[in-house]
Amino acid sequence: CTDGEMDVDSFAMCCGGGSGELFQSSGAALAGIVHLWRDPTDNLMAHFLKDVHAKRLILPRTKEGFREFVNKTMVGFMRSYTSWHCNLLRMSKERMPQVPVLTYDYTDYSGPRNKATVEKLLQFLDLKRDKTNGVLPPFKTKRNYSSWYTPEQYAHAKHLGSIYYR
């Protein structure tokens, strides 16, 4: 569902399970869309680890294995990944211009920004704090794998991410 050449209608059909409706609800009007953006370099690593763990990828779970994975997949992955996010935003603007979209970066949940991020999210969703959402657990960041990239791969990945999305 992440072909970089998809138009919005094809994207909606693919990601909507063939229904063309990516945003499904219980029949109530859709009040808002929360779009979470994760650094594509982190996402590429997550896909590597997931595929190695699921044995869909026959590479060692090492820097060398990851670097080989990046050399084979990075350009296509970055294009697909960022295209998915762009199509999601385009589709929401074209098909539901009245529905507000709140975009967050994954890092907005870490450290001292976590409380402000949650407050903004609750406000956007028109929710009040209560005993179920009143105490914020710490946001657990995952291990930083940036050193698993070669310096050239990391710079290239950041560059591709900025071209395709930001």
Side-chain angles (χ1 to χ4, degrees), residues 53-115:
H53 180 75
K55 301 197 183 328
R56 288 188 296 262
L57 190 61
I58 312 297
L59 287 172
R61 188 181 171 171
T62 62
K63 282 185 183 182
E64 293 74 23
F66 177 67
R67 289 173 178 177
E68 182 178 339
F69 173 75
V70 169
N71 286 337
K72 291 178 180 178
T73 64
M74 182 168 44
V75 172
F77 172 83
M78 292 298 224
R79 186 174 186 193
S80 297
Y81 175 73
T82 53
S83 176
W84 189 94
H85 286 278
C86 290
N87 276 325
L88 173 71
L89 292 172
R90 262 189 21 231
M91 191 175 103
S92 64
K93 287 177 185 174
E94 289 177 15
R95 293 189 173 190
M96 297 169 285
Q98 75 285 3
V99 177
V101 177
L102 178 64
T103 300
Y104 275 116
D105 188 285
Y106 189 77
T107 59
D108 290 337
Y109 285 99
S110 62
R113 293 180 294 196
N114 187 23
K115 185 175 180 182

Side-chain angles (χ1 to χ4, degrees), residues 42-62:
D42 293 337
N43 205 290
L44 188 58
M45 173 54 79
H47 277 271
F48 169 74
L49 294 173
K50 178 184 70 165
D51 288 351
V52 167
H53 180 75
K55 301 197 183 328
R56 288 188 296 262
L57 190 61
I58 312 297
L59 287 172
R61 188 181 171 171
T62 62

